[in-house]
Amino acid sequence: MQKILIIGGVAAGLKAAAKARRCDPNAIITVVEKGDMISYGACGMPYYIAGDVDSITDLMKTSAGAIRNRDFFKNVKNIEVLANTLATNIDRKGKKVTVKNLEDGKESFLLYDKLVIATGAFPIKPDLPGIELANIYQLWHPNDAKAIRQGLEGQRFNKAVIIGAGLVGMEMAEALKQWELDVTIIEMKDQIFPAFLDQEFARLAAKHVQESGITILTGEKVKGFSGEPMVTAVETEQRSIPADLVILAMGARPNVELARSAGLAIGTTGGILVDEYLRTNDPDIYAGGDCVENVNMLTREKVFAPMGSTANKHGRIIGENLCGGAAKFRGVLNTVVVKVLDINVGKTGINETDAKRLGYEYITVVTAGYDKPHYMPDAKLMSVKLIVDAKTRKVLGMQAVGEGDVSKRVDAVATALVFGGTIDDLFDIDLSYAPPYNSPIDNVAVAASAVMNKLAGRFKGISSIEAAEKMENGNTVFLDVRTPEECKKIRLPGQEDMKFIPLAELRKRMSELNKDDEIVAFCKISLRGYEAAGILEGVGFKDVKVLEGGIFSWPYVCEE
Amino acid sequence: MQKILIIGGVAAGLKAAAKARRCDPNAIITVVEKGDMISYGACGMPYYIAGDVDSITDLMKTSAGAIRNRDFFKNVKNIEVLANTLATNIDRKGKKVTVKNLEDGKESFLLYDKLVIATGAFPIKPDLPGIELANIYQLWHPNDAKAIRQGLEGQRFNKAVIIGAGLVGMEMAEALKQWELDVTIIEMKDQIFPAFLDQEFARLAAKHVQESGITILTGEKVKGFSGEPMVTAVETEQRSIPADLVILAMGARPNVELARSAGLAIGTTGGILVDEYLRTNDPDIYAGGDCVENVNMLTREKVFAPMGSTANKHGRIIGENLCGGAAKFRGVLNTVVVKVLDINVGKTGINETDAKRLGYEYITVVTAGYDKPHYMPDAKLMSVKLIVDAKTRKVLGMQAVGEGDVSKRVDAVATALVFGGTIDDLFDIDLSYAPPYNSPIDNVAVAASAVMNKLAGRFKGISSIEAAEKMENGNTVFLDVRTPEECKKIRLPGQEDMKFIPLAELRKRMSELNKDDEIVAFCKISLRGYEAAGILEGVGFKDVKVLEGGIFSWPYVCEE
């Protein structure tokens, strides 16, 4: 009977244990976990804090309502779980792990035939003055979540400052806004979601989020915290921001010290180096979850990509391989989706910044549209950006932002990416169609089609970034082809460079435009802008471009 | 300047016209349409009838609110649209089409260089006694929809009978139920959605739909209609069903008479035969939309698959090819999604019935689960069925039913099908993950994983159909491993063959079971059933199967 020892009892570790049990009913399987809670849905903590989830123990239940505690794993899966137990040393020669009982401080050791390291990640906590003040939290352990929720229920918080505009930070902004707190997010980098969104899509997402009353401060660095014993303000290089609740959401680092001191190889991104079987450089030691380095299956780049979905895949693969299997992990696509109040943000594959850095000869397109037929009462807009290899037509990545159903479109593109799909493939997918779900030409097909037109020279799109530069220079005519009623409500800035001709009047009024001018046509989503360009080009206009994604995708301030 | 003539002005025809205009600014493009309305979103009619859409003209508007009428096409796209104009003859030699103005009855002819046939389909109307009575409608033209809506607003209808349980019939059931009518659906075949769902999933969907108060009568044939002048009852071979509103939703046939009399080839399914460029056997005549025959891209079978999404793809491809392009249509996957009140039903690829007929060596699996983490307040259950080629591991098709987000999962699988993906590919997709959208192991990955386990001999699943047969025979022990509280609420039928042992007690109480018995383990979704099988197999039970999809996916009557 082989002895399987697993260090870490949250996602990857327990999944590996369960899978191993399934493959080998006789193995002795032990899991050590340093915390007092095991197998909790850590990603659910913002929703517990928001009040959507009643109790923190709901995050530890199975879908049938059983609590995944020590007894559960013993009774159901015959897996021994030792909580409050810290692994302090791995003796690879002797194949034993020293563990310390955190309740009584006693040390002992556990023997293994196969070892799994699933030590996860730890949150970054900078050494800033005042960082230990009360009511400054890191959302890492369920105990943090419980403390925050208690404070909210006791109405002890009014002004929250979140440091870091990544996934956790933005999810916490939503959670705290639901309690009607004043919420300010401070991000050191010059955009939100700096790890995955391109600049203009980050600005677009930020614009939407700010409309719901959340304050976002980018390019601002925190110097420290004031107050005693409780935090009263966050001090940045620019100002002092009153706060009675602070959330540190500055990202995470893989927890690799145990592996490193055992002489296991660490990758360039700081995660434990594993092969495609998720084996470390010791053939009897596997590693998975947030502590390992992943590979982007598209670019083959090494990446640190902590994700609950990936951790679960790792667990399944390790479980099989512990019992003689040869399952392989193919890698990640750095797919992300996140909800911030009414706004959905998603991304898969690489973004434009990556494409540039990696030297791809790429083109991009931004399209906007409703996520179902506009006549359906719950139709919502969203912007989609595709990044495509201009030579091979292969899709490299996609980003989407808006109130529309983003996650569905991200998943379709993520699926195509696994197969190295082209934009032609994307257009060809026989996606499901019915009015409650999407339009006959789905947003994914619209974006693919726009790239096809662009590559064929039939669509001369211009990004919002380029358009803003041209606006600055003042040599370009911006042609707004919306109706006067629409133009009254909201407009691009720079009234003096704007020409307003509704699309239906364009054929009659084109003498108002100069055939040699550089013209940028647009409308709300630039579908009419595209029509306008077609009309003008058809009669010999030399240089008509279309503002991609229209006013809806304009990431800068508009006039109202 | 080439003359492009298009017969049919709803979806494919106008899309082809618009695309051709884009590719060739100088072509003379004319569209003839026999009806008085052009370019309407026919799929939106049930939602207009339901009251979700205010006005029928909303279905003819662009997303910016402009009505796509004759003026719109003239002013914006420089396309001439002749409504109320019927094409009566095609003279292929003379390259001219005879058309009849339906308002004044005058005939004339139009010359073409390239012709497009987009004559759509027509609804089946059987020659039954009383079929012309008042208040019997076919939901085909917006005028039908307007008449039905007016009757509903005037409270003139109380009892509706829908004949045909396909897409339109079921969407109409939802629409009429929203007006609180008594709704009965009569289907001649022995299941709902006979064109695309396997029997047990059809029963499952029907069970859900019936729970919302809609009556479904399958295997029942309509003989005629009573009443004078207004319908008062539908007469079937079994009974007389009172009705003051009848909807005929018995499917459609491609409208090919014009093409046939012009000597164009008609395919085996009755649609116009086209090549991959959507060209008929006359190189100057293209055809697209509901009047043509499609190819299933997976099986290469010819199929009649009228779909708004396909018609739009056809239009784009034809438009390109009219102007010298060589765009190809790859085919369809017979993807379908439909909403019936709270229930979502979807399908892509082939179903089990097809797989059997086509001689595939296939296996199937049914899994059930929440569409997001169970702790999220809006998590909903759904059942997924995968059909997989057992030799190549390629996915052949998928069906899904439930309140959960079905369309997203159908789209991911449809995307994988375009690439000939295997279950291993499905598992590997880096699908987006966040609690508002899905679980860390998405329903698609769960289903793929179950097939992997089944092929590896680790999961001995049994379908509900097989289980029901075994229940009938009485030689099998059915092991319900849910908690007593759950068992009190709902149970599988046949109390005497049932053994109730909660999963957490199974290791202690397994002496109550016989190692040589055939045992079928299950729970609500059979995740615990799967655990139970693992426990029992681990200690030497010989024949433990798992009821796939659990009680939630049980298509027959349960005990309450």
Side-chain angles (χ1 to χ4, degrees):
Chain A
M1 286 186 294
Q2 74 163 342
K3 283 189 284 295
I4 295 172
L5 179 59
I6 295 169
I7 304 173
V10 181
L14 284 171
K15 181 78 191 170
K19 189 72 198 170
R21 167 56 69 234
R22 191 74 202 180
C23 299
D24 180 353
N26 301 313
I28 298 167
I29 304 176
T30 309
V31 177
V32 299
E33 163 58 37
K34 68 174 188 294
D36 52 351
M37 282 159 160
I38 56 166
S39 190
Y40 55 90
C43 309
M45 288 196 286
Y47 307 95
Y48 162 71
I49 292 170
D52 298 336
V53 177
D54 284 337
S55 157
I56 193 84
T57 55
D58 290 345
L59 304 183
M60 280 178 289
K61 285 180 182 167
T62 68
S63 67
I67 295 179
R68 286 190 299 247
N69 57 16
R70 187 186 166 135
D71 285 350
F72 172 84
F73 281 95
K74 186 72 202 164
N75 291 337
V76 172
K77 296 175 195 271
N78 194 22
I79 292 167
E80 193 71 54
V81 180
L82 309 173
N84 290 312
T85 302
L86 182 71
T88 56
N89 186 58
I90 300 169
D91 171 2
R92 288 165 54 194
K93 232 177 196 161
K95 288 191 151 189
K96 64 183 179 186
V97 172
T98 311
V99 298
K100 185 175 173 181
N101 182 323
L102 295 177
E103 284 167 358
D104 59 17
K106 281 188 187 147
E107 286 209 339
S108 56
F109 64 87
L110 297 165
L111 293 170
Y112 69 82
D113 296 308
K114 301 278 181 199
L115 179 66
V116 178
I117 301 178
T119 43
F122 62 88
I124 293 168
K125 189 173 182 180
D127 185 21
L128 290 173
I131 192 128
E132 300 297 343
L133 290 178
N135 297 337
I136 300 181
Y137 293 98
Q138 291 195 293
L139 191 66
W140 208 252
H141 190 274
N143 288 340
D144 298 335
K146 277 203 278 194
I148 298 168
R149 169 93 174 245
Q150 275 168 17
L152 290 164
E153 285 173 346
Q155 297 183 301
R156 290 205 303 276
F157 305 133
N158 293 298
K159 289 175 189 300
V161 171
I162 297 163
I163 304 173
L167 296 173
V168 173
M170 296 301 280
E171 285 177 344
M172 280 305 297
E174 161 172 310
L176 298 175
K177 195 71 203 168
Q178 281 180 246
W179 288 89
E180 295 180 7
L181 267 60
D182 268 357
V183 178
T184 302
I185 302 163
I186 305 176
E187 168 59 49
M188 195 173 63
K189 301 242 173 74
D190 62 356
Q191 63 166 77
I192 66 169
F193 298 128
F196 63 92
L197 280 193
D198 283 325
Q199 191 200 352
E200 81 281 20
F201 261 51
R203 286 190 84 124
L204 187 58
K207 200 169 139 177
H208 287 306
V209 169
Q210 281 172 311
E211 280 164 12
S212 56
I214 292 170
T215 305
I216 297 175
L217 305 172
T218 52
E220 191 147 337
K221 211 170 163 183
V222 173
K223 285 193 308 181
F225 307 89
S226 313
E228 182 61 42
M230 288 180 295
V231 68
T232 54
V234 177
E235 311 297 338
T236 74
E237 287 176 350
Q238 286 87 336
R239 70 201 98 194
S240 175
I241 304 161
D244 45 27
L245 171 64
V246 173
I247 310 286
L248 302 174
M250 304 165 82
R253 290 279 173 272
N255 197 356
V256 302
E257 279 322 304
L258 185 68
R260 192 196 303 271
S261 47
L264 297 175
I266 306 298
T268 48
T269 68
I272 299 171
L273 189 71
V274 287
D275 64 13
E276 56 191 344
Y277 303 100
L278 300 173
R279 215 163 36 189
T280 66
N281 59 326
D282 181 325
D284 293 320
I285 306 182
Y286 291 82
D290 292 359
C291 64
V292 306
E293 177 167 274
N294 280 296
V295 176
N296 182 303
M297 62 174 110
L298 204 69
T299 64
R300 311 308 305 166
E301 271 198 301
K302 299 286 188 158
V303 289
F304 174 56
M307 241 335 134
S309 45
T310 304
N312 271 286
K313 284 201 191 90
H314 284 176
R316 188 189 203 279
I317 287 165
I318 291 172
E320 289 226 7
N321 294 345
L322 285 170
C323 308
K328 291 182 191 181
F329 182 64
R330 207 192 290 195
V332 298
L333 288 167
N334 297 91
T335 311
V336 162
V337 67
V338 54
K339 178 174 169 292
V340 193
L341 298 164
D342 294 332
I343 301 305
N344 305 301
V345 177
K347 178 251 178 189
T348 187
I350 62 173
N351 60 25
E352 186 175 355
T353 315
D354 296 329
K356 200 175 284 172
R357 179 176 53 78
L358 294 167
Y360 282 98
E361 197 180 298
Y362 67 90
I363 69 161
T364 67
V365 83
V366 172
T367 51
Y370 287 98
D371 64 346
K372 57 185 75 171
H374 58 87
Y375 56 73
M376 294 297 280
D378 56 348
K380 303 283 181 201
L381 283 166
M382 55 189 270
S383 302
V384 172
K385 177 174 182 174
L386 275 185
I387 298 100
V388 175
D389 187 314
K391 282 198 289 189
T392 61
R393 300 170 78 89
K394 278 191 184 179
V395 182
L396 298 173
M398 177 246 209
Q399 290 159 68
V401 167
E403 289 188 42
D405 184 350
V406 159
S407 81
K408 175 159 97 160
R409 278 73 192 201
V410 169
D411 282 0
V413 177
T415 304
L417 285 175
V418 168
F419 299 96
T422 64
I423 41 160
D424 310 284
D425 295 322
L426 272 196
F427 180 80
D428 287 341
I429 308 168
D430 190 8
L431 293 169
S432 60
Y433 162 56
Y437 309 102
N438 61 350
S439 295
I441 311 179
D442 189 83
N443 309 62
V444 167
V446 168
S449 176
V451 179
M452 288 156 80
N453 288 339
K454 219 168 167 175
L455 285 171
R458 259 184 240 130
F459 169 47
K460 293 183 195 68
I462 174 171
S463 75
S464 53
I465 294 177
E466 289 170 273
E469 283 165 11
K470 289 192 185 292
M471 214 174 255
E472 199 78 3
N473 296 340
N475 302 320
T476 306
V477 175
F478 281 79
L479 173 63
D480 190 334
V481 295
R482 294 175 304 150
T483 62
E485 297 73 48
E486 289 176 272
C487 294
K488 253 177 235 158
K489 282 184 212 148
I490 190 167
R491 291 168 310 284
L492 289 195
Q495 196 72 14
E496 59 284 353
D497 304 319
M498 292 288 146
K499 187 83 195 156
F500 295 92
I501 306 179
L503 181 63
E505 298 173 19
L506 186 59
R507 285 190 193 270
K508 288 176 214 149
R509 290 176 56 188
M510 53 175 90
S511 61
E512 296 175 34
L513 298 165
N514 188 330
K515 281 191 179 180
D516 297 317
D517 277 352
E518 180 183 59
I519 296 174
V520 172
F522 66 95
C523 61
K524 186 174 175 185
I525 57 171
S526 278
L527 206 59
R528 284 170 289 169
Y530 176 60
E531 294 285 357
I535 291 171
L536 297 175
E537 284 166 359
V539 297
F541 277 68
K542 302 277 185 306
D543 188 10
V544 188
K545 300 183 175 79
V546 179
L547 173 62
E548 294 184 9
I551 296 181
F552 177 75
S553 309
W554 186 253
Y556 313 102
V557 177
C558 288
E559 288 179 2
E560 289 184 43
Chain B
M1 283 186 296
Q2 74 163 340
K3 283 188 285 294
I4 295 171
L5 178 59
I6 295 169
I7 304 173
V10 181
L14 284 170
K15 183 76 191 173
K19 188 71 198 171
R21 166 57 69 233
R22 192 73 203 179
C23 299
D24 180 353
N26 301 314
I28 297 167
I29 305 177
T30 309
V31 177
V32 299
E33 163 59 36
K34 68 173 189 294
D36 53 349
M37 283 160 159
I38 55 167
S39 192
Y40 54 91
C43 309
M45 288 196 285
Y47 306 95
Y48 162 71
I49 291 170
D52 299 336
V53 178
D54 284 339
S55 158
I56 194 84
T57 55
D58 290 346
L59 304 184
M60 281 177 289
K61 286 181 182 166
T62 68
S63 67
I67 295 180
R68 287 189 300 246
N69 56 16
R70 189 185 165 134
D71 285 350
F72 172 84
F73 282 95
K74 186 72 204 163
N75 291 337
V76 172
K77 295 175 196 271
N78 193 21
I79 292 167
E80 193 71 53
V81 180
L82 308 174
N84 289 313
T85 303
L86 181 70
T88 55
N89 186 58
I90 300 170
D91 171 2
R92 287 166 54 195
K93 232 175 198 164
K95 287 192 152 190
K96 64 183 180 187
V97 172
T98 311
V99 299
K100 184 175 173 180
N101 183 322
L102 295 177
E103 285 167 357
D104 60 17
K106 281 190 190 147
E107 285 210 340
S108 55
F109 64 87
L110 298 164
L111 293 170
Y112 68 83
D113 296 308
K114 301 278 181 199
L115 178 68
V116 179
I117 301 177
T119 43
F122 62 88
I124 294 170
K125 190 173 180 180
D127 184 21
L128 291 173
I131 193 127
E132 300 298 342
L133 291 177
N135 297 337
I136 300 181
Y137 293 97
Q138 292 196 292
L139 191 67
W140 207 252
H141 190 274
N143 289 341
D144 298 334
K146 277 202 278 193
I148 298 168
R149 170 90 174 247
Q150 275 168 16
L152 290 164
E153 285 173 346
Q155 296 184 302
R156 291 205 304 275
F157 304 134
N158 292 299
K159 289 176 189 301
V161 172
I162 296 163
I163 303 173
L167 296 173
V168 173
M170 297 301 280
E171 285 176 345
M172 280 305 296
E174 161 173 311
L176 298 175
K177 195 71 204 167
Q178 281 179 246
W179 288 88
E180 295 181 6
L181 267 60
D182 268 356
V183 178
T184 301
I185 301 162
I186 305 176
E187 168 58 50
M188 193 173 63
K189 301 243 173 74
D190 62 355
Q191 64 167 76
I192 65 169
F193 299 127
F196 62 91
L197 280 192
D198 284 325
Q199 190 201 353
E200 81 282 18
F201 261 50
R203 288 191 84 123
L204 187 58
K207 200 168 138 175
H208 286 307
V209 170
Q210 282 172 310
E211 279 164 13
S212 56
I214 291 170
T215 304
I216 297 175
L217 304 173
T218 52
E220 192 148 336
K221 212 170 165 185
V222 173
K223 285 192 309 179
F225 306 89
S226 314
E228 182 60 43
M230 290 181 293
V231 68
T232 54
V234 177
E235 310 299 337
T236 74
E237 289 176 348
Q238 286 88 338
R239 71 202 98 195
S240 174
I241 304 163
D244 45 25
L245 172 64
V246 173
I247 310 286
L248 302 175
M250 302 164 82
R253 292 278 174 270
N255 197 356
V256 300
E257 280 321 304
L258 184 69
R260 193 197 301 273
S261 46
L264 296 175
I266 306 298
T268 49
T269 67
I272 299 171
L273 189 72
V274 288
D275 64 12
E276 55 192 345
Y277 304 100
L278 298 174
R279 215 165 34 188
T280 65
N281 59 325
D282 181 325
D284 292 320
I285 305 183
Y286 292 82
D290 291 359
C291 64
V292 306
E293 176 167 275
N294 280 295
V295 176
N296 182 303
M297 64 173 110
L298 204 68
T299 63
R300 310 310 302 167
E301 272 197 299
K302 299 286 187 157
V303 288
F304 174 56
M307 243 332 137
S309 46
T310 303
N312 271 286
K313 285 201 190 90
H314 284 177
R316 187 188 205 282
I317 286 164
I318 292 172
E320 289 226 6
N321 294 345
L322 286 170
C323 308
K328 291 183 193 181
F329 182 64
R330 206 191 292 194
V332 298
L333 289 166
N334 296 91
T335 310
V336 161
V337 67
V338 53
K339 179 174 168 294
V340 192
L341 298 164
D342 295 333
I343 302 304
N344 305 300
V345 177
K347 178 252 178 189
T348 188
I350 62 172
N351 61 24
E352 187 176 352
T353 315
D354 296 329
K356 200 176 282 174
R357 179 175 54 76
L358 295 166
Y360 282 99
E361 196 179 297
Y362 68 89
I363 69 161
T364 68
V365 82
V366 171
T367 51
Y370 287 98
D371 64 347
K372 56 186 76 171
H374 57 87
Y375 55 76
M376 294 299 279
D378 56 348
K380 303 284 181 201
L381 283 166
M382 57 190 270
S383 301
V384 172
K385 178 174 182 174
L386 275 185
I387 298 101
V388 175
D389 187 315
K391 282 198 289 188
T392 62
R393 299 170 78 90
K394 279 190 184 179
V395 181
L396 298 174
M398 178 244 209
Q399 290 159 68
V401 167
E403 290 188 42
D405 184 350
V406 158
S407 80
K408 173 158 98 160
R409 278 73 192 202
V410 169
D411 282 0
V413 176
T415 304
L417 285 176
V418 168
F419 299 96
T422 64
I423 42 161
D424 310 285
D425 295 322
L426 272 196
F427 181 81
D428 286 342
I429 309 167
D430 191 7
L431 293 168
S432 60
Y433 163 55
Y437 310 102
N438 61 349
S439 295
I441 311 179
D442 188 84
N443 307 62
V444 167
V446 168
S449 176
V451 180
M452 289 156 81
N453 288 338
K454 220 170 166 174
L455 285 171
R458 259 184 239 129
F459 169 46
K460 291 180 196 71
I462 175 171
S463 75
S464 52
I465 294 177
E466 290 171 273
E469 284 165 12
K470 288 191 186 292
M471 213 174 255
E472 199 80 1
N473 296 339
N475 302 319
T476 307
V477 176
F478 281 79
L479 174 63
D480 190 334
V481 297
R482 295 174 304 150
T483 62
E485 297 73 48
E486 289 176 273
C487 294
K488 253 176 238 160
K489 281 184 215 148
I490 190 166
R491 291 168 311 284
L492 289 194
Q495 196 72 12
E496 58 285 353
D497 304 319
M498 293 287 147
K499 187 81 198 160
F500 295 91
I501 306 179
L503 181 64
E505 297 173 18
L506 186 60
R507 283 189 194 272
K508 287 176 214 148
R509 289 175 56 187
M510 52 175 91
S511 61
E512 297 174 33
L513 298 165
N514 188 328
K515 282 191 179 180
D516 297 317
D517 278 351
E518 181 184 58
I519 296 174
V520 173
F522 65 94
C523 61
K524 185 175 177 185
I525 56 171
S526 279
L527 206 58
R528 285 170 288 169
Y530 176 60
E531 293 285 358
I535 291 172
L536 296 176
E537 285 166 357
V539 297
F541 277 67
K542 302 276 186 305
D543 188 8
V544 187
K545 300 182 175 78
V546 179
L547 174 61
E548 293 183 10
I551 296 180
F552 176 74
S553 308
W554 185 253
Y556 312 102
V557 177
C558 287
E559 289 180 2
E560 288 184 42

